[in-house]
Amino acid sequence: KNDTYDKLAETSAQLDVAVARAGALETQIKTLEGRKAAIEAQISQGIYGSAAGITLAELTEQQKDVESQLTILQMDGAQAEAQVSQLQNAYQQAERGTYTAQENLDDTIIRSPISGKLSVNEMSPGSFVTTGNTELVSVGSVNPIAVQFSISENELLNFQQAVMENQ
């Protein structure tokens, strides 16, 4: 059971890291897309030359660099999204494993509806045990039981004599 919980915690931590990485990549992509749009606007509006302090060739080179970086980040982002998806599936699987482990553990615990003293019937290893047919444990009450009933005087004398004979 502990291994199952450890796997769940480990997958959860990995998922947190992957989600943070994907978020950071998304932010970087948006920044580069904004830079690319600004460069494209600058080129289309003709804002270059000696008055603007940058040549068309420099703007075109910047545009190519931004597009290259954007392509790399988009591929990294796609990989990060795939990793997040994979880790989400692993996390769900680990959760199911934890649930199954808990159910299995619960199946190993036997609870008695009454309190009392246990009497264990020893079974030899390899014995075949079936539900309802093999008594492994019985619970006996430790509290005294009081019973009231009426018997005739003759029945009482016979009972007392039978008790004395068995002692």
Side-chain angles (χ1 to χ4, degrees):
K1 183 176 170 185
N2 287 340
D3 291 342
T4 306
Y5 284 116
D6 291 346
K7 178 68 175 169
L8 183 64
E10 178 184 336
T11 303
S12 177
Q14 289 174 347
L15 182 58
D16 290 345
V17 170
V19 167
R21 181 174 176 262
L25 287 171
E26 186 177 326
T27 301
Q28 290 175 344
I29 288 171
K30 286 181 181 178
T31 300
L32 280 177
E33 286 174 340
R35 178 69 183 129
K36 179 183 173 188
I39 291 171
E40 288 171 350
Q42 199 172 353
I43 290 172
S44 69
Q45 294 173 8
I47 306 174
Y48 52 86
S50 58
I54 190 164
T55 66
L56 179 59
E58 290 171 330
L59 277 176
T60 304
E61 188 62 34
Q62 284 181 9
Q63 184 180 24
K64 287 179 186 177
D65 286 345
V66 167
E67 287 173 353
S68 175
Q69 291 174 9
L70 192 54
T71 300
I72 292 169
L73 282 176
Q74 287 170 337
M75 288 189 312
D76 286 349
Q79 287 175 344
E81 287 176 12
Q83 183 182 21
V84 166
S85 178
Q86 180 184 13
L87 286 170
Q88 285 172 332
N89 290 337
Y91 183 81
Q92 290 171 350
Q93 189 174 12
E95 276 186 320
R96 285 190 297 272
T98 302
Y99 179 75
T100 301
Q102 184 63 50
E103 279 186 333
N104 290 340
L105 179 63
D106 290 346
D107 288 345
T108 64
I109 299 170
I110 301 171
R111 290 180 172 72
S112 173
I114 61 168
S115 61
K117 187 174 183 176
L118 293 179
S119 297
V120 179
N121 296 332
E122 293 294 325
M123 301 295 293
S124 57
S127 296
F128 188 68
V129 178
T130 57
T131 304
N133 294 331
T134 310
E135 185 176 295
L136 299 175
V137 176
S138 59
V139 181
S141 177
V142 292
N143 298 326
I145 298 174
V147 179
Q148 291 185 351
F149 56 92
S150 300
I151 60 171
S152 69
E153 191 174 331
N154 284 340
E155 289 173 325
L156 176 60
L157 290 173
N158 289 340
F159 175 73
Q160 289 173 339
Q161 184 178 2
V163 169
M164 294 301 262
E165 289 174 3
N166 287 334
Q167 287 184 5

